[in-house]
Amino acid sequence: MIVGIVGCGAIANLITGFVRDGKVPVELGFFYDRDLERAENLASMVDGTAVLDVTDMLPHVDLVVEAASPEAVRELVPGILEAGRDVVVMSVGALMDPELRSLLEKKASENNAEIHVPSGAIVGLDGLKAASMGSIRSVKLVTRKPPRSLGISMDEKKVLYTGKASEAVKRFPLNINVAAALSLACGRDIDVEIIADPAVDRNVHEVTVKGDFGEFKTITENVRCSINPKTSVMAAYSAIRLLKSLSENMHIGT
Ligand SMILES: NC(=O)c1ccc[n+]([C@@H]2O[C@H](COP(=O)([O-])OP(=O)(O)OC[C@H]3O[C@@H](n4cnc5c(N)ncnc54)[C@H](O)[C@@H]3O)[C@@H](O)[C@H]2O)c1
């Protein structure tokens, strides 16, 4: 499978390192970033090609990994699907926009392409999807992050947001992919609390789900990427694992 990457930052760096080390059996052939130097740097790690426009890679790839930004999902993913290429979307917050989501689903179905959304920086999406086959009473996410991971500085713990995921995504677009992934996995606008906490040095996500299946609680304490402290290493690992799974014939825990 030949893969192209859109967005050559923290997540793309980790993916490229794994592919270069032979840990994922895909060919990373093409790299695009609005900062060409970033694309060239990653391309040089795997003998790939940096392109000036995403359309330049489309004739040559089977799948494109979007690891850029919500705007890249809006601006670039429709064209990638129109070309019949599968897409992995990391900026899942963008998919909370129902109009964009249905446009992408339509383009995917018309062009026989698939949209994959990895579990990202959270554990337990498999259980939440299964639970949503029955009736779910509540899903609550409490996200606790070091202030600098939220792009702010403060000395005391502060609750920044309490409300629904759909609104949180608008107010913290680069930080709330987990809330979006949980909402999309269970088809409801989940309850979210975001806390800036100088006492933590990891991005911590606590999820509580209640329904007719019973109840579960997960806590994910994520180490942050050195290149971009807003992003958790686990998010990149989930994309890497997805690329590996797409090259396998048996799928466990999906
Ligand atoms: N699903 C999850 O759980 C999860 C977790 C962490 C990050 N993310 C999301 O994944 C995306 C990538 O994260 P990252 O930490 O690698 O980001 P990053 O900021 O380290 O890198 C993003 C790169 O994409 C480029 N870029 C941004 N918008 C672009 C556009 N429209 N066209 C071309 N290039 C563009 C930037 O120049 C940058 O090099 C972000 O949107 C982030 O919010 C998702």
Side-chain angles (χ1 to χ4, degrees):
M1 180 167 62
I2 302 178
V3 174
I5 292 208
V6 170
C8 299
I11 290 177
N13 260 274
L14 279 167
I15 296 174
T16 308
F18 269 68
V19 172
R20 178 201 55 205
D21 296 345
K23 293 179 182 163
V24 188
V26 301
E27 183 183 332
L28 267 189
F30 298 86
F31 295 83
Y32 170 68
D33 196 294
R34 58 187 170 201
D35 178 341
L36 179 61
E37 203 181 325
R38 288 185 175 202
E40 286 173 342
N41 284 342
L42 285 198
S44 69
M45 281 170 67
V46 288
D47 216 6
T49 304
V51 294
L52 288 172
D53 192 298
V54 72
T55 54
D56 295 337
M57 69 167 75
L58 297 182
H60 313 290
V61 299
D62 303 297
L63 174 145
V64 176
V65 177
E66 175 283 321
S69 59
E71 347 47 297
V73 178
R74 275 188 290 278
E75 289 162 13
L76 304 176
V77 171
I80 298 170
L81 294 168
E82 263 168 28
R85 302 298 180 253
D86 295 341
V87 185
V88 173
V89 172
M90 291 310 296
S91 307
V92 55
L95 301 181
M96 287 293 279
D97 172 354
E99 270 178 41
L100 178 63
R101 201 167 66 241
S102 59
L103 173 81
L104 298 184
E105 276 171 343
K106 184 165 173 281
K107 298 233 176 262
S109 108
E110 283 170 359
N111 296 288
N112 200 22
E114 288 187 9
I115 304 166
H116 302 276
V117 180
S119 49
I122 190 88
V123 300
L125 277 193
D126 52 347
L128 179 57
K129 283 197 300 184
S132 69
M133 293 294 96
S135 106
I136 290 183
R137 275 197 306 286
S138 66
V139 182
K140 175 154 191 196
L141 164 70
V142 179
T143 289
R144 198 171 283 107
K145 292 188 171 187
R148 77 173 174 286
S149 173
L150 288 152
I152 51 179
S153 99
M154 57 178 57
D155 300 328
E156 299 219 328
K157 182 165 115 175
K158 187 172 177 197
V159 177
L160 298 180
Y161 178 79
T162 307
K164 290 289 176 189
S166 53
E167 190 55 33
V169 165
K170 288 179 201 151
R171 289 176 50 182
F172 302 90
L174 296 179
N175 265 290
I176 206 67
N177 291 294
V178 164
L182 288 164
S183 291
L184 293 169
C186 66
R188 55 192 284 152
D189 200 1
I190 67 158
D191 296 311
V192 176
E193 190 169 300
I194 302 172
I195 302 169
D197 187 350
V200 297
D201 66 352
R202 294 180 173 176
N203 296 333
V204 182
H205 303 290
E206 199 174 301
V207 180
T208 309
V209 180
K210 295 178 183 169
D212 65 358
F213 72 95
E215 185 173 329
F216 74 75
K217 187 170 204 161
T218 68
I219 300 176
T220 315
E221 295 187 19
N222 282 310
V223 170
R224 291 168 292 135
C225 288
S226 54
I227 294 177
N228 179 359
K230 290 182 183 150
T231 287
S232 303
V233 169
M234 179 73 112
Y237 284 178
S238 79
I240 294 165
R241 175 65 235 192
L242 173 63
L243 291 177
K244 190 167 186 291
S245 296
L246 291 173
S247 345
E248 292 171 344
N249 298 104
M250 186 184 286
H251 303 284
I252 310 282
T254 51

